[in-house]
Amino acid sequence: MGKNEVMVDEIPFPSEFMMNTKPLPLMGHGITDIEIHFLQIKFTAIGVYLDPEIVSHLQQWKGKTGAELTENDEFFEAIVNAPVDKFLRVVVIKEIKGSQYGVQLESAIRDRLAEVDKYEEEEEEALEKIVEFFQSKYFKKDSVITYSFPATSATAKISSTIEGKEDSEIEVTNANVVEMIKKWYLGGSRGVSPTTISSLANNLSAEMSK
């Protein structure tokens, strides 16, 4: 393993990722999993890359421990809303049909939007396009899904890399949908991966105390 890699559940993640000519360090990582009859089934490994400038937007939490921040949803709300570049790299551990992944994403986003009364026709259309993007794909082990969230606009770029297939990507321009995709992965106690949330909290706590 190179020094420029971090192992997340035996899957190598680059320790930084270039986005808009700026290196974003890996600030948090974890997995999505489920336990069935005491057996842990792992689905994906996740890496969260953030512009280090994010620390300047989180100063009110300076001095808090990682454990305290893990429990603090306002802290994660501030991460989601901070105007800095964010990049998520999701690597498939257990193969899954793209249609299944797309439906999981769709229902999570739809439920969150409906809760805050923001699920209108435009949001439904944006979600349909995302589901369509994933529909025909088959994510073998080690396939990669990435989400880029630029600081300068409320858009997201989703891309997929599957061995033997051409890379493909889609841009999401509906700001409400984009916000909820961020919250699905970075949303504190309701984030899809508790291990990623606690890793982010611990690393950002350390960054703020520098």
Side-chain angles (χ1 to χ4, degrees), residues 1-73:
M1 182 179 91
K3 67 177 183 350
N4 299 331
E5 287 181 339
V6 175
M7 295 305 272
V8 181
D9 215 84
E10 298 175 17
I11 292 171
F13 276 70
S15 57
E16 59 181 38
F17 188 87
M18 291 299 282
M19 183 170 163
N20 300 332
T21 70
K22 191 170 187 183
L24 307 186
L26 181 62
M27 289 273 196
H29 53 76
I31 59 167
T32 57
D33 63 345
I34 190 171
E35 203 173 277
I36 299 176
H37 305 308
F38 306 109
L39 268 182
Q40 184 194 27
I41 298 169
K42 298 170 185 176
F43 296 113
T44 61
I46 299 164
V48 180
Y49 297 81
L50 300 171
D51 185 328
E53 273 179 32
I54 194 157
V55 171
S56 67
H57 298 277
L58 304 173
Q59 284 307 300
Q60 71 186 88
W61 290 280
K62 196 178 164 92
K64 297 268 186 210
T65 65
E68 288 171 318
L69 292 176
T70 300
E71 304 295 318
N72 190 320
D73 282 353

Side-chain angles (χ1 to χ4, degrees), residues 111-120 123 176:
D111 292 351
R112 286 164 187 264
L113 287 167
E115 271 174 37
V116 290
D117 252 354
K118 286 183 178 173
Y119 187 63
E120 305 290 340
E123 284 72 29
N176 291 330

Side-chain angles (χ1 to χ4, degrees), residues 88-101:
L88 302 175
R89 183 172 187 262
V90 180
V91 182
V92 174
I93 296 174
K94 182 175 171 46
E95 54 187 44
I96 183 173
K97 287 178 182 162
S99 54
Q100 280 176 285
Y101 179 84

Side-chain angles (χ1 to χ4, degrees), residues 7-201:
M7 295 305 272
V8 181
D9 215 84
E10 298 175 17
I11 292 171
F13 276 70
S15 57
E16 59 181 38
F17 188 87
M18 291 299 282
M19 183 170 163
N20 300 332
T21 70
K22 191 170 187 183
L24 307 186
L26 181 62
M27 289 273 196
H29 53 76
I31 59 167
T32 57
D33 63 345
I34 190 171
E35 203 173 277
I36 299 176
H37 305 308
F38 306 109
L39 268 182
Q40 184 194 27
I41 298 169
K42 298 170 185 176
F43 296 113
T44 61
I46 299 164
V48 180
Y49 297 81
L50 300 171
D51 185 328
E53 273 179 32
I54 194 157
V55 171
S56 67
H57 298 277
L58 304 173
Q59 284 307 300
Q60 71 186 88
W61 290 280
K62 196 178 164 92
K64 297 268 186 210
T65 65
E68 288 171 318
L69 292 176
T70 300
E71 304 295 318
N72 190 320
D73 282 353
E74 280 177 23
F75 173 70
F76 287 95
E77 184 85 18
I79 292 173
V80 166
N81 294 327
V84 301
D85 287 338
K86 306 175 185 83
F87 181 81
L88 302 175
R89 183 172 187 262
V90 180
V91 182
V92 174
I93 296 174
K94 182 175 171 46
E95 54 187 44
I96 183 173
K97 287 178 182 162
S99 54
Q100 280 176 285
Y101 179 84
V103 165
Q104 284 172 13
L105 186 137
E106 180 196 30
S107 61
I109 305 306
R110 189 182 54 223
D111 292 351
R112 286 164 187 264
L113 287 167
E115 271 174 37
V116 290
D117 252 354
K118 286 183 178 173
Y119 187 63
E120 305 290 340
E121 213 169 294
E122 293 88 345
E123 284 72 29
E124 190 179 351
E125 278 172 22
L127 277 175
E128 273 171 14
K129 281 184 188 157
I130 295 172
V131 170
E132 214 171 281
F133 172 74
F134 285 116
Q135 188 67 40
S136 60
K137 296 176 173 38
Y138 189 83
F139 293 114
K140 295 181 281 196
K141 186 177 177 347
D142 297 327
S143 300
V144 179
I145 303 161
T146 64
Y147 296 85
S148 319
F149 303 102
T152 47
S153 71
T155 60
K157 199 170 274 178
I158 306 176
S159 78
S160 77
T161 304
I162 301 169
E163 191 191 342
K165 304 264 188 218
E166 261 187 48
D167 291 6
S168 57
E169 64 176 43
I170 180 177
E171 187 161 27
V172 185
T173 54
N174 182 293
N176 291 330
V177 169
V178 169
E179 180 192 359
M180 295 309 176
I181 295 174
K182 288 181 198 169
K183 287 187 173 175
W184 194 43
Y185 276 108
L186 305 173
S189 63
R190 292 185 62 199
V192 69
S193 164
T195 47
T196 304
I197 293 301
S198 101
S199 163
L200 260 180

